[in-house]
Amino acid sequence: MGKVLLITGASSGIGAATARAAVQAGWTVGLVARSADRLATLVNELGPERAVALPADVTSVEAQTQAIDALVGRFGRLDAAFANAGLGASRPGAEQGDLDEWRQMLEVNIWGLLVTVRLALPHLRASQGHVVLTGSRAARTELSGSVYGATKHFVHGFAANLLAEMRPWGGRCTVVAPGMVDTPFFSDVKPGGLRAEDVAGAVIYALEQPAHVAVGEVYLMPVPGA
Ligand code: NJP
């Protein structure tokens, strides 16, 4: 069966690529997103003995509780949680921002991520497990979308202290922070961005380190023209 990894935002982009890479590396995966049909297709591809679809909206505590309970009920353990679900809305500057979009972005990128981590932690303590979060280069540089960037600042700030909380019992926390990645996240992505598989590779790198090595943050930037 291998170790068990929960992935949110698994129906698309970075989450789906990480599911493929993790199964390739010997992990078993629980796939969370709202699009049940896309999760079912991915489970068919990966094999139902190595992957389970857990349709849920990450903003719902009840839905995420059911998803994690179902995963642990099926495989008996949880070794890592990749809290990756996120959205960037249309990312105008603060002056033009749509307040409803901002609320949704805060609820998914911050609240949903916190719920994933909070519900996973008791299981991860039992397995001396690993939290991986999707941050962003937007947390370290000037990019359009000040509110989106602020949600990712939160992720990086949370992770730093979470790692300090987890280390005493053998747990680890990693933030994977990409620049532009060619996924449905951006409809207008420029050629030459990172591929979802590149980010998935960084997640697997962090997860596969020996138990005494914690990878704190991994930044990935595209190289134009390469
Ligand atoms: O985007 P996309 P990425 N409940 O749109 C899910 C960060 N990032 O892979 O619910 C549950 O292909 C959605 O599933 P569904 C970014 O901030 C990206 O690029 O079925 N799931 C889908 O699986 C985000 O944190 C770039 O619609 C929800 C997934 O989220 C992460 O990378 C750069 C949900 C989004 O997949 C993955 O984004 C960067 C909900 N309420 C950081 N709402 C980039 N692409 O350039 C959404 O620095 N999802």
Side-chain angles (χ1 to χ4, degrees):
M1 177 186 77
K3 290 185 172 181
V4 178
L5 169 64
L6 174 79
I7 302 173
T8 72
S11 64
S12 172
I14 293 166
T18 301
R20 293 186 179 99
V23 167
Q24 187 79 26
W27 291 71
T28 294
V29 291
L31 309 175
V32 171
R34 292 164 303 177
S35 308
D37 50 344
R38 281 194 269 152
L39 294 181
T41 304
L42 189 54
V43 167
N44 270 343
E45 177 192 325
L46 299 175
E49 68 291 342
R50 302 293 301 282
V52 59
L54 307 163
D57 186 325
V58 293
T59 64
S60 162
V61 177
E62 191 186 355
Q64 284 217 69
T65 301
Q66 284 175 6
I68 292 175
D69 286 354
L71 180 62
V72 175
R74 163 110 183 250
F75 296 112
R77 58 185 294 137
L78 182 65
D79 298 281
F82 180 30
N84 163 72
L87 35 99
S90 49
R91 302 182 67 176
E95 195 176 342
Q96 299 86 26
D98 180 293
L99 289 171
D100 291 332
E101 282 192 346
W102 282 4
R103 186 192 296 273
Q104 195 193 4
M105 202 159 52
L106 296 177
E107 287 180 354
V108 175
N109 296 7
I110 296 179
W111 174 247
L113 174 140
L114 287 177
V115 173
T116 305
V117 172
R118 174 63 184 86
L119 296 176
L121 272 175
H123 304 291
L124 297 178
R125 180 184 275 271
S127 61
Q128 294 187 301
H130 202 142
V131 169
V132 184
L133 307 173
T134 305
S136 178
R137 179 103 175 103
R140 291 290 183 275
T141 189
E142 285 182 22
L143 289 177
S144 66
S146 48
V147 178
Y148 172 76
T151 68
K152 293 301 181 179
H153 271 276
F154 175 91
V155 173
H156 286 255
F158 174 56
N161 293 306
L162 182 61
L163 176 58
E165 289 174 12
M166 293 177 71
R167 272 211 327 258
W169 48 262
R172 291 176 284 176
C173 175
T174 300
V175 184
V176 175
M180 283 177 90
V181 190
D182 192 0
T183 71
F185 184 85
F186 285 115
S187 52
D188 57 346
V189 71
K190 300 180 197 77
L194 299 163
R195 293 186 294 265
E197 293 73 20
D198 302 325
V199 186
V203 176
I204 302 302
Y205 167 80
L207 290 176
E208 298 274 289
Q209 291 303 303
H212 67 282
V213 179
V215 178
E217 291 184 329
V218 182
Y219 282 90
L220 298 171
M221 277 83 72
V223 179

